[in-house]
Amino acid sequence: MADHDSDPGAEYPEHPREKHRGPVVLRRGRLVEATTTDQRLLDSRGPTDWVHTDPWRVLRIQAEFVEGFGALAEVPRAVTVFGSARTGREDPEYELGREIGASLADAGFAVITGGGPGSMEAVNRGASDAGGLSIGLGIELPFEQGLNPWVDLGVNFRYFFTRKTMFVKYAQAFLCLPGGFGTLDELFEALTLVQTKKVTKFPVVLFGSEYWGGLYDWIAGTVCADGKINESDLKLLHLTDDIADAVSVVQEAYRGWEATH
């Protein structure tokens, strides 16, 4: 997952313009829709007939969980990687994403991304090219580009909260490349889950000290210093610029997780 308020993949012919509405693919004249399923669920304005339809939405939500669990049940150990959809193929961050995807694959991990363009595509591409399992979890958005061409196993979701569950449930670590609101959303949700012990032995790696350093310093110098988190909570974050170091952190955490399962 990452920033989805642009059209970064439009110029790439192998990345077709399409929109996903759950498992349904829309192209050409049906590409543009005024609202999304998530929006219709969360928006309480307008006619009151939504009161009578919400119970039925529960069945669709249930179906998404069933489809996601079924598709991903046999996934081996994996790392979820987040990053910006706006990263161009000529950007050094794109090549970095490919190297990270390949390194994780070489270490025996599948990679899970939001399945979109930019850094997500780069990680999927690196893992796929290295012979690893490349997974993409897409989401219905007004300007969704569809899953990138290097996704080997893809699942499309209507609801963010269903998708978020899959990001966590089937991964043993999170790795965040430079990204925007979507990346920040997933980052802090992961930290909250680890801090509250909803998930254990789950490292959160920030890759790129120049990009993430200011945020890390603010968390340490303001949030922690003001007593809003404990000093031990800072250890939940690992800031690095070295791919081998990032992979090593993931491997160590996986060995710890494996020992308890």
Side-chain angles (χ1 to χ4, degrees), residues 3-260:
D3 305 312
H4 286 288
D5 51 353
S6 64
D7 195 10
E11 69 269 31
Y12 305 133
E14 73 275 25
H15 198 171
R17 289 181 56 81
E18 60 186 34
K19 174 182 172 61
H20 290 90
R21 190 171 60 203
V24 178
V25 177
L26 303 174
R27 290 178 176 167
R28 288 178 282 279
R30 296 184 177 271
L31 183 66
V32 178
E33 290 188 309
T35 61
T36 67
T37 307
D38 250 341
Q39 180 184 347
R40 291 190 291 273
L41 169 66
L42 298 173
D43 192 351
S44 60
R45 297 169 294 177
T48 58
D49 60 353
W50 65 270
V51 175
H52 307 290
T53 60
D54 275 359
W56 293 101
R57 287 194 176 111
V58 173
L59 297 178
R60 177 178 283 177
I61 293 167
Q62 176 181 317
E64 283 210 341
F65 277 112
V66 171
E67 290 170 359
F69 291 155
L72 302 172
E74 303 301 324
V75 167
R77 58 181 184 169
V79 177
T80 295
V81 185
F82 296 107
S84 177
R86 304 184 184 192
T87 304
R89 291 180 178 173
E90 298 76 24
D91 193 313
E93 287 179 10
Y94 187 92
E95 182 58 32
L96 177 65
R98 291 185 66 178
E99 293 176 10
I100 288 174
S103 295
L104 289 170
D106 290 341
F109 291 91
V111 299
I112 304 173
T113 78
S119 293
M120 294 176 285
E121 175 187 285
V123 173
N124 285 133
R125 185 175 182 176
S128 183
D129 288 347
L133 178 57
S134 174
I135 301 168
L137 306 182
I139 186 70
E140 177 193 4
L141 292 169
F143 21 72
E144 179 62 36
Q145 284 297 301
L147 297 176
N148 67 67
W150 286 277
V151 168
D152 302 320
L153 171 60
V155 184
N156 287 295
F157 295 90
R158 289 182 171 95
Y159 300 105
F160 270 113
F161 54 83
T162 313
R163 181 181 184 234
K164 285 181 175 182
T165 300
M166 306 303 159
F167 278 139
V168 176
K169 179 174 176 59
Y170 294 101
Q172 281 75 52
F174 272 2
L175 196 157
C176 296
L177 291 166
F181 285 155
T183 302
L184 291 168
D185 173 46
E186 298 293 352
L187 165 62
F188 284 105
E189 182 157 32
L191 288 172
T192 302
L193 291 173
V194 178
Q195 181 194 45
T196 56
K197 301 189 185 303
K198 297 295 185 181
V199 293
T200 57
K201 302 293 183 183
F202 200 100
V204 180
V205 180
L206 298 178
F207 200 95
S209 59
E210 184 175 351
Y211 188 87
W212 294 111
L215 175 64
Y216 185 89
D217 291 343
W218 175 75
I219 293 173
T222 301
V223 181
C224 184
D226 202 38
K228 299 301 187 292
I229 62 172
N230 297 325
E231 288 190 14
S232 60
D233 293 329
L234 285 174
K235 297 179 181 179
L236 302 179
L237 278 170
H238 185 82
L239 181 64
T240 187
D241 294 300
D242 183 74
I243 295 177
D245 178 45
V247 174
S248 176
V249 168
V250 171
Q251 289 176 313
E252 182 179 350
Y254 179 77
R255 285 192 289 269
W257 176 88
E258 196 174 33
T260 62

